[in-house]
């Protein structure tokens, strides 16, 4: 479930990330265009002032009336120029278009331009806050000319509207601020990429640059609608993803295969034990392990409802493995010192397609309280074994380890007698179908007699299955059958009941471990 939620959160994170990236990119593009516009305006205005100075230069000799008149005319026709003056070699203003001269001004270091005749500097009027740019034209045949351009003329008039809180534009000469547009009281931003988006553009013609900045906090307002739509969209996607995840989980939790796999992992497949009795002595000789699915609510599911699924899906292998381990844990101790008490497991035809079952049995039982010589494996005759020669080889190798092999449900399959003879097993289990028919059908008795004859010749043990009455027990005993299983003795029992039965029926054996198992 947690995994599902995590997966469902992915679209939210992706949408959030994409929105943020989009907002940042689009804000930066706007800043760039603003900076480019501001820089070109400054360049165009400085360029036009340079052209005006060059134009009027031949007509201005010094501070004579004619020259002053020419300067006045030029200053009034050129928009950015506030003042044109004649300077001395040290840069002091001798006279201006206004007629005066000698006003005290602080001038920043003068910087040469690419056009070597010109120098540019920042001029501050002592008692005023506003600043101007001064362009100075050095002339071969006369004193230098200077033009003052108020800083405000170098930035767009429309700036004020663009500069609400958290935004700023600065025009800078070298490192000194010429002019800044920013909200009143705002000390300006500094490019701190965590809090601010900034663009810094340098002019190629003049030593000036434009720095435009905007605090990230102001972005949210501009892009609120977009963010809202994006977030609603991602919320919808998330809800859909969660709904699909829930549907998927529900479908999975209804899937019997998923449930069964989970049941094995949770240890819900438990062994029941049906006792096998020596009908000559009445002694307990072992049990057959029959699987039960004990659901968490305590209900028991019979193997008919899950063994076919287990076989089809291949889960029969981990299920058998888990069952064997559980048997060791639950009843293993009662088998110590009782070598005559066997425990039989049902195997599936698929267990004989390769020899891995041999290693598996060794790994489970070699160091367990149940010895390999106490193990019986039942192979049903109902389903044909895929490769008889391989099965025979595997059976032979199991027998060398001391394990016994029985054919289950004998008489019901298609193998026939030759099948039994070929496999070389130790025991045959005569199916309940023939036992049921003992008193009613003569041919059933004939089949039992034939099987007993075959078993005697081939030196195989016989177990009668599904024995429900004492008449059947009597008949089987008369015919020389030694072992039987069935409700007449006991149904499949939970481990605790089976342990109690072992104690009751085989109480002296554990105390005398050496006791012979001849009765079995
Ligand atoms: P089976 O191996 O022939 O097991 C004998 C079945 O007959 C058991 O049914 C048992 O409860 C039932 N039974 C025993 N005595 C009597 C009786 O006197 N009267 C009647 N009416 N029934 C009796 P169960 O436990 O329901 O098992 C059914 C089948 O499921 C088994 O038939 C076996 O083929 C399969 N099975 C059970 N556990 C496993 C397992 O761990 N692995 C595999 N591969 N198959 C299993
Ligand atoms: Ca069986
Ligand atoms: Ca059987």
């Amino acid at each position: 479930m947690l995994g599902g939620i995590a997966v469902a959160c992915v679209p939210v994170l992706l949408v959030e990330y994409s929105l943020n990236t989009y907002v940042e990119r689009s804000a930066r593009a706007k800043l760039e265009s603003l900076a480019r516009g501001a820089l070109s305006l400054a360049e165009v205005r400085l360029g036009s002032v340079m052209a005006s100075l060059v134009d009027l230069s031949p007509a201005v000799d010094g501070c004579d009336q004619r020259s002053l008149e020419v300067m006045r005319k030029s200053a009034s026709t050129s928009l950015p120029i506030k003042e044109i003056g004649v300077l001395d070699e040290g840069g002091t203003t001798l006279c201006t278009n206004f007629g005066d001269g000698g006003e005290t001004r602080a001038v920043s270091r003068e910087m040469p331009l690419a056009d070597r005749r010109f120098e540019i500097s920042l001029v501050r009027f002592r008692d005023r806050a506003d600043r101007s740019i001064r362009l100075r034209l050095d002339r071969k045949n006369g004193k230098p000319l200077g033009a003052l351009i108020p800083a405000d003329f170098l930035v767009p008039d429309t700036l004020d509207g663009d500069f609400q809180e958290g935004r700023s534009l600065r025009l800078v000469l070298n490192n000194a601020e010429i002019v800044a547009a920013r909200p009143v009281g705002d000390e300006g931003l500094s490019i701190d990429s965590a809090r601010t988006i900034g663009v810094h553009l340098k002019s190629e013609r003049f030593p000036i640059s434009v720095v435009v900045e905007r605090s990230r906090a102001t972005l949210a307002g501009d892009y609120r609608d977009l963010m809202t739509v994006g977030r609603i969209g991602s919320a919808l996607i998330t809800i859909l993803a969660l709904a699909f995840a829930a549907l998927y989980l529900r479908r999975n939790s209804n899937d019997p295969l998923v449930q069964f796999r989970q049941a094995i992992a949770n240890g819900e497949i438990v062994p029941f034990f049906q006792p096998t009795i020596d009908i000559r002595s009445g002694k307990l000789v072992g049990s057959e392990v029959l699987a039960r699915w004990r659901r968490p609510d305590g209900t028991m599911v019979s193997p008919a409802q899950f063994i076919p699924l287990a076989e089809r899906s291949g889960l029969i292998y981990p299920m058998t493995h888990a069952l064997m381990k559980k048997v060791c844990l639950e009843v293993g101790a009662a088998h110590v010192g009782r070598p005559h008490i066997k425990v039989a497991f049902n195997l599936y035809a698929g267990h004989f397609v390769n020899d891995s079952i041999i290693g598996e049995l060794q790994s489970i039982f070699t160091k367990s309280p149940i010895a390999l010589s106490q193990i019986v494996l039942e192979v049903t005759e109902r389903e044909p074994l895929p490769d008889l020669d391989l099965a025979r080889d595997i059976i032979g190798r199991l027998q060398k380890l001391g394990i016994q092999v029985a054919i289950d449900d004998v008489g019901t399959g298609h193998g026939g007698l030759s099948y039994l003879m070929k496999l070389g097993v130790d025991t045959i289990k005569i199916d309940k179908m023939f036992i049921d028919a003992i008193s009613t059908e003569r041919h059933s008795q004939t089949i039992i007699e034939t099987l007993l004859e075959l078993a005697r010749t081939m030196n195989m043990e016989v177990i009668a299955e599904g024995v429900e009455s004492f008449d059947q027990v009597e008949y089987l005993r008369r015919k020389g059958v030694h072992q039987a299983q069935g409700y007449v003795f006991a149904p499949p029992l939970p481990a605790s009941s089976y342990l109690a039965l072992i104690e009751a029926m085989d109480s002296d054996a554990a105390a005398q471990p050496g006791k012979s198992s001849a009765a079995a």
Side-chain angles (χ1 to χ4, degrees), residues 412-457:
T412 62
H414 309 284
L417 297 182
S418 61
Y419 186 80
L420 298 183
M421 293 164 71
K422 206 168 175 193
L423 282 179
V425 298
D426 306 280
T427 305
I428 54 174
K429 295 186 81 173
I430 300 175
D431 193 75
K432 178 174 186 298
M433 183 171 86
F434 302 106
I435 310 300
D436 283 346
I438 284 174
S439 52
T440 53
E441 289 173 36
R442 266 221 57 79
H443 78 267
S444 189
Q445 292 185 12
T446 315
I447 291 171
I448 293 176
E449 279 163 19
T450 312
L451 287 173
L452 292 179
E453 186 51 40
L454 177 78
R456 245 188 305 275
T457 342

Side-chain angles (χ1 to χ4, degrees), residues 288 290 346 378 380 382 407-410 429-432 465-466 485:
E288 175 182 1
L290 292 158
N346 289 286
E378 298 188 7
T380 183
R382 275 181 216 280
I407 295 283
D408 199 1
D409 312 318
V410 164
K429 295 186 81 173
I430 300 175
D431 193 75
K432 178 174 186 298
E465 283 192 296
Q485 243 183 331

Side-chain angles (χ1 to χ4, degrees), residues 176-360:
E177 183 175 296
I178 305 168
V179 62
R182 61 169 77 107
V184 184
D186 190 331
E187 282 314 298
L189 310 163
S190 59
I191 300 187
D192 161 8
S193 61
R195 292 172 40 230
T196 318
I197 299 179
V199 170
H200 186 173
L201 279 188
K202 272 188 176 156
S203 165
E204 291 183 357
R205 288 173 59 202
F206 301 97
I208 59 172
S209 46
V210 169
V211 180
V212 188
E213 288 171 280
R214 171 161 195 186
S215 84
R216 287 176 190 278
T218 64
L219 291 178
D222 278 15
Y223 294 90
R224 187 168 292 131
D225 290 351
L226 176 74
M227 296 295 272
T228 309
V229 170
R231 280 176 185 145
I232 291 174
S234 81
L236 286 177
I237 294 173
T238 306
I239 290 168
L240 271 178
L242 278 173
F244 275 121
L247 206 72
Y248 175 80
L249 286 176
R250 240 183 76 189
R251 243 186 47 202
N252 258 343
S253 62
N254 285 338
D255 181 343
L257 191 61
V258 173
Q259 289 184 348
F260 185 61
R261 183 179 290 122
Q262 203 63 48
I264 298 172
N266 293 348
E268 291 171 25
I269 308 301
V270 297
F272 267 46
F273 301 85
Q274 184 169 34
T276 305
I277 302 298
D278 183 324
I279 54 176
R280 294 166 304 176
S281 64
K283 288 194 167 155
L284 177 73
V285 291
S287 68
E288 175 182 1
V289 173
L290 292 158
R292 296 288 180 272
W293 180 350
R294 185 166 57 204
R295 288 193 180 269
D297 64 5
T299 52
M300 285 292 177
V301 182
S302 85
Q305 284 170 266
F306 60 84
I307 294 290
L309 171 74
E311 292 181 351
R312 274 201 312 277
S313 64
L315 287 175
I316 190 79
Y317 306 110
M319 187 208 83
T320 306
H321 189 97
L323 212 53
M324 288 173 170
K325 298 283 268 190
K326 257 197 149 83
V327 167
C328 289
L329 266 176
E330 294 186 358
V331 302
H335 288 73
V336 177
R338 293 188 168 108
H340 53 288
I341 303 277
K342 313 286 187 212
V343 53
F345 293 96
N346 289 286
L347 290 188
Y348 161 59
H351 276 113
F352 292 88
V353 297
N354 61 49
D355 64 1
S356 60
I357 185 68
I358 302 174
E360 200 176 334

